Amino acid sequence: MVKSDKVSVIVFDSGIGGLNVLNACVKRYPHFDYIYAADNFNVPYGMRSAEEVFSLATAVLDGAMQYRPTAIVVACNTVTAECIERLRERYPVPIVGMQPAVKEAAKSGGKCAVLVTEATAQSSNFRALVAANFPSATVCPCPDLAAYIEGNIFALPEVLPKDLVALPENCESIVLGCTHYVYLAGQLSRAYCCRIFDGIDGTSRRLGEMLGIYDHRGEISGISDHCLSKTGKVSFYCGNIAKNRRIYSAIFGNQPTREL
Ligand code: DGL
């Protein structure tokens, strides 16, 4: 349970993908303060080794720890797959990771494609997740997709270039296993007439569970009145701050944010 009057959460991603998660967390817990920490100049992480991903992620998070967060949300499937255990050993705060929504997709069954980065596809964490929950799902690594979205976010086409996403025939559902891909959810569902699973809402809910703020009815209860009485602030740290701020306001329609 959160006892402190002030809850501040770092939401971390390689680039713009985690803004989807930040947006969901702000909507669910508007009274928390948030710092969006990103590494846009090193995107994509999904083409790097586990050691490189760990070293880039800790370069950002070591600096962000100066803001004494209550919790960290790793809003990146790649970082979660490659090194979430090592991050949990390094930082003395609760860390919520992000996994492709394979379990949710398995409940609806049918033919499913799981779109992920190369690094996620190769990681043992991800392979174990698919094997245990949805072994018949087709894993589709998308080597260039995250960098394409990061570079073209303000001019994404209505129809996707064929070479960027190669899906098996007749899919009934698609799991967006990288937070960047969520910006293409509309295009993908129109093009393939599929159900889309992205795990964003589940991740924002897990933040509250990890902080112990739900009561037995599933209502938010474990936060001090002082904290609940105010609306929190959103600020940006590291990476391309101007770009991340612009997407947060322009694409998600959010209020202006503050300087750190
Ligand atoms: N947004 C990240 C994820 O969820 C990865 C993007 C990248 O390759 O940097 O996997």
Side-chain angles (χ1 to χ4, degrees):
M1 166 154 342
V2 181
K3 297 208 177 63
S4 141
D5 278 349
K6 188 167 165 301
V7 177
S8 71
V9 179
I10 289 174
V11 179
F12 169 66
D13 182 36
S14 59
I16 61 174
L19 291 164
N20 289 293
V21 182
L22 172 68
N23 184 49
C25 291
V26 171
K27 297 270 149 39
R28 196 182 275 275
Y29 316 109
H31 26 268
F32 295 173
D33 289 337
Y34 296 90
I35 297 172
Y36 189 70
D39 197 14
N40 311 72
F41 301 114
N42 288 308
V43 170
Y45 276 16
M47 299 299 284
R48 299 175 185 276
S49 69
E51 208 45 53
E52 269 184 297
V53 169
F54 178 70
S55 137
L56 289 169
T58 50
V60 175
L61 288 172
D62 283 0
M65 286 304 285
Q66 69 184 287
Y67 300 106
R68 301 181 173 278
T70 316
I72 298 172
V73 176
V74 174
C76 178
N77 296 267
T78 304
V79 172
T80 304
E82 293 278 54
C83 59
I84 193 78
E85 296 87 0
R86 291 174 76 188
L87 296 180
R88 289 194 173 119
E89 279 163 22
R90 188 176 182 101
Y91 303 113
V93 293
I95 301 185
V96 180
M98 171 118 209
Q99 285 189 320
V102 170
K103 286 184 195 164
E104 291 73 11
K107 287 180 200 147
S108 68
K111 199 163 175 186
C112 175
V114 188
L115 309 190
V116 287
T117 65
E118 281 284 351
T120 299
Q122 281 164 29
S123 73
S124 50
N125 280 347
F126 171 70
R127 279 190 271 130
L129 176 79
V130 175
N133 295 285
F134 205 173
S136 65
T138 307
V139 175
C140 304
C142 307
D144 304 317
L145 192 54
Y148 175 82
I149 294 165
E150 181 83 26
N152 294 280
I153 185 63
F154 296 113
L156 289 174
E158 272 308 302
V159 179
L160 294 175
K162 283 249 176 307
D163 51 329
L164 277 179
V165 187
L167 290 184
E169 298 279 301
N170 306 323
C171 276
E172 289 149 81
S173 63
I174 299 174
V175 174
L176 302 178
C178 163
T179 48
H180 279 70
Y181 304 168
V182 177
Y183 292 104
L184 292 177
Q187 285 92 327
L188 286 165
S189 86
R190 281 191 294 279
Y192 295 96
C193 300
C194 274
R195 286 195 69 186
I196 304 280
F197 295 88
D198 64 25
I200 301 280
D201 201 50
T203 301
S204 71
R205 189 175 172 85
R206 265 201 305 285
L207 170 63
E209 286 165 0
M210 205 167 240
L211 292 173
I213 61 171
Y214 290 113
D215 65 18
H216 63 283
R217 293 163 306 174
E219 306 285 334
I220 292 179
S221 76
I223 307 177
S224 75
D225 288 347
H226 177 80
C227 179
L228 282 174
S229 68
K230 67 178 184 82
T231 301
K233 301 182 184 76
V234 175
S235 13
F236 291 81
Y237 172 77
C238 212
N240 190 338
I241 289 176
K243 178 183 181 186
N244 296 334
R245 196 189 288 278
R246 188 173 153 211
I247 293 168
Y248 182 72
S249 307
I251 295 189
F252 298 111
N254 286 313
Q255 296 301 311
T257 55
R258 67 162 192 166
E259 303 295 324
L260 265 175

